Amino acid sequence: MYRTLPALLLVLLVLWPTAAAMADTKSSLSPSTVAEHLAEDPVYVHPSRGAALSDEQARELRERIVDEDLNVYIAVTPWREAPESMVTALIGRSEGPGVFLAVGDGGPVVGRRSSDDRSGVSRVTLKQTLEVLEQRPDMIRADLEERLHVALDMLGDERVAAREHACLSAGPVLDPRLATALLWGLAALPLLALVVWGMRRRSRRPLRVMPLSEAVVGTVDSTEQETTRRELEPALVSYGRRVSRFSGNHARATTALEAYEAAAKVLDTAEDMADLVGARVLLDHCEAALSGDSTPRHCFFDPRHEGQTGKARWRAPASHRSVTVRACARCRRDLKEHRVPMTVLASSGRVAVPYYAVPARESVWAATGYGTLAPDLAARVLRGDDRG
C-alpha cells in the first residue's frame, strides 16, 4: 500500500504535463490558424485527429479537390464547442470564395458557403449534401473518408446531389386509412399462409428454364447499336460544320480537327458498341477543343456515365495488381462494395467481354481507357491502331 502511493504520484507527475499540453493545443487552435493553412492547402487535419482521417486519405481528398477544380475546403479539428460558429469564423478569415466543411471531435460535418456567389455551389446543393451526410442510414454508418468523398461528389455536380438526396428514406406516416389496411392485413394472415403453403408445394415441381437464344441477344445488341449510330451520324455532321467554321486559336483548331477526323473514321467502320462509344468520346474531345474547355474526364468503365469523376483504386478480376482510374460516383461506390461496375462490352470477338479485357495491342480503347489513361487517343486512331 505504502509503495503503491508513491508510484501513482510519480505516474501523475509524468502524465500531467502531457495531458495539459494536449488540452492547451486543442484550446489554442484558432480559426485564424486553420484559415492560414487552408489558404495554401484545401485540407486541414489536426494532428490529434489522425485516427479519423489518415495522411493518405487526406492526400487523396486534396488531389481530388485540385484535379476537379472544386472550391471546397475541409477542416478536421478537435473543436468540441460550437463548430458552426467556427465555420463562420473560418469564412470570415479566408480570402477566397468556396464551401467550407468542418468536422469537430465526434460531431457532425458542418458546412457553410461564402457570402458571395462565386463559390460555384448553390445553397440548395449544399443543404442537400449536409442532409444526406447526417440523415441517410448508410452515411451515418460510413467512415469519415467515405462521407467526405460523397460530399465532394454532390458539391461538384448538382444533378448528383439531387439524385443522392432522393435516396433519403422517408419516415413512415400512419394515417387512419393505413391503420385500417393494417387491420385487414392481420385478418388476412391465415389466408396468406395457406396461399404461401400452396405456392411452396408447387415450386417443388421441376421447371424447364429456357434461356435467351443467341439470335435474341444478337437482335437486342444490333438494335442498341443502330440507335446509337443514328444519334451519332447527325452529331458528326454538325461538328464537321463547326470545325470548318472555327477561326480561333490554331492549337485548338488542330486538336478539334484531329478529334473530328478520328471520330469520323471510327464511325465509318464501327463494328460494335465499343467503337460507337469511342466515336462519342472523340466528339467530346472535339467539343472541348472548340469551346476552350479542359480535356473531358470520362469514367474509365463507361464514358457514357454522367457526373463528376474522381480517382479510384481498382483491381481487375483475377489480377493481383491494383491501378488508379477515374470513375463516376456510382462506379466508385460499386468498387467500395466490391462489385464490378457496369462497363462497355466489346463484342467483335466470339464472346462479348469488358472492353478493358481485350489485349492492349489489339484495342486502342483498352490501351488508353477511352482516353482516360493516355491523352493521345485521337492520334492513335488516325495512325491506324487496332480497335479490337
Side-chain angles (χ1 to χ4, degrees), residues 14-73:
V14 172
L15 294 182
W16 180 262
T18 303
M22 291 177 62
D24 183 65
T25 299
K26 291 186 177 184
S27 62
S28 63
L29 179 64
S30 67
S32 297
T33 302
V34 180
E36 289 176 3
H37 179 96
L38 294 179
E40 303 294 335
D41 181 350
V43 179
Y44 171 84
V45 181
H46 191 270
S48 66
R49 299 304 311 279
L53 195 70
S54 67
D55 291 341
E56 176 66 20
Q57 293 169 339
R59 183 183 62 79
E60 291 181 0
L61 288 167
R62 183 180 300 111
E63 290 180 352
R64 182 176 174 192
I65 291 173
V66 173
D67 289 345
E68 298 179 15
D69 195 22
L70 301 175
N71 288 328
V72 178
Y73 302 90

Side-chain angles (χ1 to χ4, degrees), residues 132-379:
V132 166
L133 295 183
E134 300 309 321
Q135 298 179 23
R136 217 171 70 186
D138 61 324
M139 287 292 98
I140 296 174
R141 295 189 298 268
D143 56 26
L144 180 58
E145 179 200 16
E146 182 176 353
R147 297 172 74 200
L148 290 176
H149 274 293
V150 170
L152 294 182
D153 291 339
M154 299 177 67
L155 294 174
D157 191 327
E158 62 182 12
R159 293 172 299 178
V160 175
R163 185 174 65 245
E164 295 292 336
H165 189 264
C167 296
L168 278 175
S169 57
V173 179
L174 189 63
D175 58 18
R177 290 176 295 179
L178 179 58
T180 303
L182 289 174
L183 290 176
W184 278 105
L186 292 173
L189 278 178
L191 179 60
L192 179 62
L194 182 62
V195 171
V196 171
W197 176 78
M199 293 177 64
R200 291 189 63 183
R201 282 180 58 86
R202 185 178 180 83
S203 67
R204 295 191 181 99
R205 299 178 183 177
L207 298 176
R208 296 181 62 190
V209 179
M210 301 298 293
L212 290 175
S213 67
E214 291 295 328
V216 173
V217 174
T219 300
V220 173
D221 289 343
S222 297
T223 302
E224 183 182 10
Q225 291 178 31
E226 283 303 315
T227 301
T228 304
R229 187 186 295 273
R230 284 197 299 269
E231 294 172 352
L232 287 174
E233 286 174 348
L236 184 68
V237 174
S238 174
Y239 276 101
R241 296 195 189 100
R242 293 178 60 188
V243 170
S244 64
R245 297 170 182 171
F246 183 73
S247 58
N249 179 274
H250 177 71
R252 285 170 50 194
T254 301
T255 302
L257 178 61
E258 184 180 62
Y260 166 76
E261 291 179 341
K265 179 178 180 179
V266 171
L267 188 60
D268 186 53
T269 57
E271 297 182 355
D272 61 358
M273 183 57 73
D275 285 346
L276 295 174
V277 171
R280 178 71 266 177
V281 167
L282 289 165
L283 288 181
D284 288 344
H285 282 257
C286 181
E287 173 65 35
L290 292 174
S291 304
D293 296 332
S294 57
T295 303
R297 295 172 176 266
H298 292 106
C299 176
F300 169 83
F301 297 98
D302 192 334
R304 294 170 294 182
H305 291 172
E306 296 181 352
Q308 293 283 344
T309 61
K311 293 181 180 180
R313 297 294 295 177
W314 173 62
R315 180 172 61 85
S319 173
H320 297 289
R321 296 181 58 189
S322 63
V323 295
T324 300
V325 297
R326 300 202 68 86
C328 64
R330 190 167 298 277
C331 287
R332 291 200 302 274
R333 187 174 300 113
D334 286 340
L335 292 177
K336 280 183 175 293
E337 297 174 0
H338 305 289
R339 294 195 303 263
V340 178
M342 296 293 290
T343 189
V344 179
L345 295 180
S347 56
S348 58
R350 291 181 301 174
V351 180
V353 297
Y355 84 91
Y356 51 74
V358 180
R361 64 180 180 277
E362 299 177 10
S363 170
V364 68
W365 315 129
T368 64
Y370 281 110
T372 63
L373 304 178
D376 58 341
L377 174 61

